Amino acid sequence: MEWEFNGYYTLIAATLVLLLGKWLVSKVRFLRDFNIPEPVAGGLIAAIILFALHQMYGVSFKFEKPLQDAFMLIFFTSIGLSADFSRLRAGGFPLVLFVVVVSVFILIQNAVGVGLAGALGLDPLLGLITGSITLTGGHGTAGAWGPIFEKEYGVVGATGLGMAAATFGLVFGGLIGGPVARRLINRQGRKPVAQTNADNEVSDSNTNDVFENAGRTRLITADSAIETLAMFAASIAFGQIMDVVDAEYFPSWLNLPKFVWCLFGGVILRNILTLVFKMNMFDRAIDVFGNASLSLFLAMALLNLKLWELTGLAGPVTIILAVQTIVMMLYATFVTYVVMGRDYDAAVLSAGHCGFGLGATPTAVANMQSITNTFGSSHKAFLIVPMVGAFFIDFVNAMILSGFVNFLK
């Protein structure tokens, strides 16, 4: 028996999950100490409850997926609308260096997946499905490559396995990022920042910390909200159009997920409006919509997490994913952190890398927010991670995956 929830009830359920997560983090010291994001804390409890109901009564739950996808597109569009070229230039060498660090990890991630798949007697292509296709790439890349593996290479069940592996990564990317960064920060002797009422307010001039201080009050008006929604609509429409063009005219290995085109549309629109028309952007409104969409997307993703499907993962695949999680933690600790400077910003970047190295960019941002809410701001990390995790790395991942597939076949 399946209980289906329409968009209204899905939204209600997601908000209840977020409130539950907020309450849990405020009451459970373990969650605070390890900086587990509120949507992950509440979402896992909800997923466990739904799993128990399924096991006891055979009931499954279906929450409206298009609403989850819509909030994902809004979040990535908000990254694009926040990407002023002047800010990208401000990223400078550290941004390029982080792209290199993440690119090297994609090579390692695929090498580990392919190597373990071969050692365990599986098709080496399954190693890519449990590598950067689903972990760095996430559900969107898994959905794009799965049918290709099934039709062209005869890998049975590639799409279903990809979705399960991507879900595994989404959960564990949110679970390991906080503890990894917390351990690195404790080595530095940095103490939590005392929160005051002033910390929760923001002046109209302080608009360059998009996503960084999700708990701050944002001073927006109805007019700025409506104008910002119009920019979101234009960017998402661009993404829809380019997604069709992409599928029709681009080679299959270079197909980009729709959210990348929405992000790119936001980048184009923002910089045309600011550079050509000298328009003052409503960064505060973009920040509010982006952070709200991020939380709702994660809550809905975990509501749609069917734990009974994950329990069906074959033993060898579970082993590969467990090893990939350990490799991610080690790489973030001994490579990302070290190469990026061994400072507080590097620790926050490591939390972000765990988020999208196993899960997705929204998980990376949530990881970093959980750290900076406790230990203070990291402008460098919030400048670099969203653009690298949501945009640059998709191009790199597509090229690396194409090379691996051609080599294996």
Side-chain angles (χ1 to χ4, degrees):
M1 182 171 59
E2 183 177 76
W3 291 3
E4 187 169 348
F5 293 78
N6 64 23
Y8 297 113
Y9 291 111
T10 298
L11 183 59
I12 292 170
T15 55
L16 292 176
V17 165
L18 293 177
L19 291 174
L20 172 63
K22 183 176 182 180
W23 181 81
L24 286 171
V25 171
S26 68
K27 296 297 183 181
V28 181
R29 183 174 179 178
F30 170 82
L31 298 176
R32 292 197 306 275
D33 286 349
F34 287 93
N35 298 103
I36 305 301
E38 294 172 0
V40 174
L44 280 179
I45 296 299
I48 291 171
I49 293 173
L50 297 181
F51 174 73
L53 292 174
H54 178 269
Q55 295 298 101
M56 290 187 293
Y57 303 108
V59 179
S60 61
F61 300 85
K62 182 179 180 181
F63 295 91
E64 191 166 281
K65 191 69 164 51
L67 191 62
Q68 175 187 326
D69 294 339
F71 281 115
M72 180 185 69
L73 295 181
I74 292 172
F75 167 71
F76 282 105
T77 300
S78 69
I79 295 176
L81 289 173
S82 304
D84 193 305
F85 284 152
S86 62
R87 294 181 190 174
L88 296 182
R89 288 195 299 271
F93 179 71
L95 188 148
V96 176
L97 184 60
F98 191 64
V99 171
V100 173
V101 168
V102 174
S103 300
V104 171
F105 177 71
I106 291 176
L107 290 169
I108 294 173
Q109 194 172 61
N110 285 325
V112 169
V114 170
L116 285 175
L120 294 170
L122 302 176
D123 187 331
L125 287 176
L126 287 176
L128 295 181
I129 296 174
T130 53
S132 72
I133 286 178
T134 60
L135 301 180
T136 295
H139 288 83
T141 307
W145 280 90
I148 296 174
F149 275 33
E150 290 173 345
K151 295 176 182 177
E152 298 185 15
Y153 304 115
V155 181
V156 179
T159 301
L161 176 61
M163 292 300 169
T167 303
F168 176 96
L170 187 71
V171 173
F172 279 85
L175 289 176
I176 68 172
V180 165
R182 183 80 182 224
R183 181 168 173 270
L184 295 172
I185 293 169
N186 287 340
R187 283 186 194 171
Q188 301 170 9
R190 189 182 181 100
K191 301 299 182 183
V193 176
Q195 299 295 316
T196 65
N197 291 333
D199 292 331
N200 295 321
E201 301 297 331
V202 61
S203 67
D204 286 353
S205 61
N206 188 12
T207 60
N208 291 325
D209 56 354
V210 180
F211 306 120
E212 188 169 354
N213 295 287
R216 279 186 172 178
T217 301
R218 303 293 178 181
L219 307 179
I220 65 175
T221 65
D223 287 342
S224 65
I226 291 171
E227 292 177 17
T228 302
L229 283 174
M231 291 188 289
F232 274 98
S235 301
I236 292 174
F238 173 85
Q240 295 274 15
I241 294 170
M242 289 304 302
D243 188 54
V244 174
V245 174
D246 184 351
E248 184 71 23
Y249 299 106
F250 287 20
S252 59
W253 60 269
L254 196 55
N255 283 349
L256 296 176
K258 186 187 299 182
F259 68 80
V260 176
W261 289 116
C262 292
L263 183 149
F264 191 48
V267 173
I268 294 172
L269 180 60
R270 186 209 170 91
N271 288 280
I272 288 176
L273 292 176
T274 55
L275 298 177
V276 178
F277 296 98
K278 308 300 180 183
M279 178 178 172
N280 290 323
M281 297 296 291
F282 305 106
D283 288 299
R284 296 180 300 280
I286 293 171
D287 184 49
V288 168
F289 291 131
N291 278 305
S293 299
L294 163 65
S295 296
L296 289 167
F297 163 72
L298 288 175
M300 291 178 186
L302 290 170
L303 279 173
N304 278 307
L305 172 60
K306 294 178 173 57
L307 289 174
W308 53 92
E309 292 181 356
L310 290 182
T311 59
L313 282 175
V317 173
T318 305
I319 292 172
I320 295 174
L321 292 174
V323 172
Q324 292 283 28
T325 302
I326 295 171
V327 170
M328 177 75 261
M329 295 174 68
L330 293 173
Y331 191 89
T333 301
F334 296 106
V335 180
T336 305
Y337 175 68
V338 172
V339 173
M340 297 308 298
R342 298 176 181 263
D343 55 10
Y344 174 63
D345 289 323
V348 180
L349 283 167
S350 297
H353 192 189
C354 288
F356 72 77
L358 283 185
T361 303
T363 311
V365 174
N367 282 351
M368 295 192 300
Q369 286 176 344
S370 69
I371 295 296
T372 56
N373 285 343
T374 302
F375 292 99
S377 299
S378 174
H379 302 311
K380 180 179 178 180
F382 278 88
L383 173 68
I384 292 174
V385 168
M387 287 302 296
V388 173
F391 187 63
F392 293 112
I393 212 59
D394 277 292
F395 290 100
V396 176
N397 196 21
M399 290 186 289
I400 291 176
L401 283 171
S402 178
F404 266 91
V405 170
N406 290 333
F407 174 77
L408 293 174
K409 291 298 179 180

